[in-house]
Structure formats: structure tokens, C-alpha cells
Amino acid sequence: FPAVFEDRDHKKILDISAGVGCAAKRIHDNYSTDILCNDISPTCLRILQSLGLPTTSFDIDVPERPYPFPDGHFDAVISLVTIEHLIHVDHHLKEIHRILAQDGYLYISTPNYAAPEYVIPMLLTAKAYHDPLSEESKYEFYAHVRYFTYQTLLELAVSFGFAAEAVYLALPG
């Protein structure tokens, strides 16, 4: 992730669903920027605060509530492994587009269900991405309500006015 961040000189960043702050802490420690971390989990908020990261808390999946920031407020928004958990992905992308500056950047990621590590086992065994009968994997994809591929995420983002500047496909392992 930090490699795509180099030389962008972001000043105001929102990390949506920051979790335990893996990306946010690296950005905070290595870049001269103001980063704000959002999460709704009290545990995650405590961890983020213990790392010295500023926090806010609002639910990103309520279409009746706009994100609590003015238009064009951030020059970068980070949404890592979040969109696959949302019911209202349209609301999420519209709000990100609204709160981003005109020349802002969205850094977004999701599991790529067209990747070989998902497709090959499915083709060989005729089983889905997870086995609901296996104690080891039955909850592996718990709470994923959307299953994106590289192409579907790209097409969705473009349909909301984002332009793909760089695409990085992570290799397993």
C-alpha cells in the first residue's frame, strides 16, 4: 500500500473503517499528513487512539445519513477491505466522491474472487469460496455481502466518476 502513496503529498486523509490502524499507523509515522480514522467498533477505536491516531465514529452504511464532512474536505480517502461488507455500496462511493477534493484520490481494495486461489479450488471441487460444513473455514468470509472481482470493482468505481490511475494485484502469501 505505501508504494502507491509515494510522492502524492496528501494533506488530509480519511481512513474509512480503519480497523486496528495497520495502514493508518504507517501513514501517520511515515508521511507529513493529517489522517483521521473512522470505525464503529469501540475496540478498534480504543486501539486506534492508543496508537495516537485521531478518530471519529460514524456508520458508513446508512444511506439516509451523509458522511459528516463538507464537500471536497479530503484529498485522499482510504477504504481497504470494506466495500465487500456493505449493503449500500452506492451510498459509500457517492459519499466518498462528495468528500474528496476535485483532484483527490481513493485507495480502495477488496478480495479479488477471480484470483486463482479462489477460482481453482472451486473448479476442482465444485465448492464455493468457503465450506459451510468445515469447522476451519465456515466463518472465513463472515459478513461479506458482496463478492467482487478486480473487474467488477474497477467498473463500479468508474461508474461513480473515479478514474483508475493504478491497479495493484497482490500476490498470495
Side-chain angles (χ1 to χ4, degrees):
F1 172 71
V4 301
F5 218 69
E6 297 296 329
D7 303 320
R8 298 255 167 94
D9 197 31
H10 297 308
K11 297 298 179 209
K12 280 187 126 167
I13 301 170
L14 174 65
D15 189 352
I16 290 181
S17 295
V20 296
C22 295
K25 182 68 172 153
R26 289 170 67 180
I27 291 165
H28 180 267
D29 291 349
N30 295 298
Y31 299 91
S32 177
T33 187
D34 289 330
I35 187 163
L36 179 62
C37 299
N38 176 67
D39 213 287
I40 58 171
S41 161
T43 300
C44 289
L45 290 167
R46 277 192 302 276
I47 291 168
L48 291 164
Q49 291 162 358
S50 74
L51 295 171
L53 297 167
T55 61
T56 187
S57 185
F58 62 93
D59 192 336
I60 62 174
D61 206 18
V62 181
E64 298 79 23
R65 267 190 249 142
Y67 293 0
F69 306 104
D71 296 359
H73 190 71
F74 297 97
D75 58 348
V77 173
I78 300 167
S79 179
L80 304 180
V81 290
T82 299
I83 196 167
E84 68 273 12
H85 298 276
L86 301 178
I87 300 293
H88 304 286
V89 296
D90 291 4
H91 171 67
H92 182 61
L93 291 172
K94 283 178 188 173
E95 282 301 293
I96 290 172
H97 197 272
R98 181 186 66 77
I99 65 174
L100 268 175
Q102 187 90 25
D103 57 349
Y105 285 86
L106 166 61
Y107 299 92
I108 190 167
S109 72
T110 189
N112 176 12
Y113 289 102
E117 64 265 26
Y118 297 112
V119 174
I120 292 171
M122 189 172 60
L123 290 173
L124 295 175
T125 66
K127 291 186 178 184
Y129 304 119
H130 66 283
D131 183 352
L133 300 177
S134 164
E135 285 302 316
E136 191 174 296
S137 71
K138 72 181 182 180
Y139 295 113
E140 184 175 337
F141 295 97
Y142 179 73
H144 285 196
V145 295
R146 304 259 186 260
Y147 295 89
F148 290 94
T149 66
Y150 151 77
Q151 190 62 37
T152 58
L153 181 62
L154 181 63
E155 289 173 1
L156 181 65
V158 167
S159 77
F160 281 89
F162 296 99
E165 181 180 292
V167 176
Y168 294 87
L169 298 174
L171 298 174

